[in-house]
Amino acid sequence: MKEMQKRCNRPPLSLLLVCLCLSVSFIVVVPGDPIVAHVGSTVIVPCWTSPPENAEALEIRWYRHDQFNNPVLLYNHGKIQDIQECFRNRSSLALRSDQSGGLKDGDVSLRLEKLTFQDAD
């Protein structure tokens, strides 16, 4: 199978964090460079809070730019609540690096497996 590559100049996915504790103040950090990957490969879309804040009690909503109510992945109440049909069995929350402390340290990165051209739309 010939490997194909597609570059996306706009972020196809967005992240919304809803904090249940209003006294906490943080920013959401995402690298500015586009992610380039081969069809069929796996990528991690890195994202974290700064300063590091325990995200286990937050609502984490990864969604496409125009589909807020139909999230790619929705984490709430300590577990993944919903995954969009076309991303089932190939999306999850992941560590952005081996040194990451995961949700407890504010790492809310998204792992996408078996990439398709449609993932960049």
Side-chain angles (χ1 to χ4, degrees):
M1 180 168 100
K2 184 177 179 181
E3 289 190 49
M4 298 179 172
Q5 188 169 282
K6 184 171 185 177
R7 185 179 192 121
C8 182
N9 292 327
R10 61 177 168 76
L13 299 173
S14 301
L15 173 70
L16 172 71
L17 293 176
V18 177
C19 182
L20 301 178
C21 176
L22 299 177
S23 64
V24 175
S25 178
F26 59 85
I27 61 170
V28 176
V29 180
V30 282
D33 296 329
I35 295 173
V36 179
H38 295 279
V39 169
S41 68
T42 297
V43 297
I44 293 180
V45 183
C47 184
W48 62 94
T49 62
S50 180
E53 180 66 39
N54 189 333
E56 292 176 318
L58 301 180
E59 176 181 293
I60 301 166
R61 180 182 295 256
W62 279 97
Y63 62 96
R64 290 178 178 272
H65 66 283
D66 60 348
Q67 297 181 14
F68 177 82
N69 291 322
N70 188 21
V72 169
L73 183 142
L74 174 63
Y75 171 94
N76 201 4
H77 303 292
K79 63 181 181 177
I80 294 176
Q81 300 289 330
D82 191 24
I83 297 177
Q84 196 176 106
E85 181 70 33
C86 64
F87 290 96
R88 280 211 185 107
N89 300 316
R90 55 188 205 95
S91 65
S92 60
L93 295 176
L95 302 178
R96 72 177 188 270
S97 72
D98 292 338
Q99 293 78 34
S100 172
L103 288 172
K104 288 185 179 188
D105 282 340
D107 187 347
V108 293
S109 300
L110 179 70
R111 177 184 175 103
L112 292 175
E113 300 176 2
K114 303 173 193 158
L115 291 177
T116 68
F117 278 125
Q118 292 76 21
D119 292 340
D121 291 335

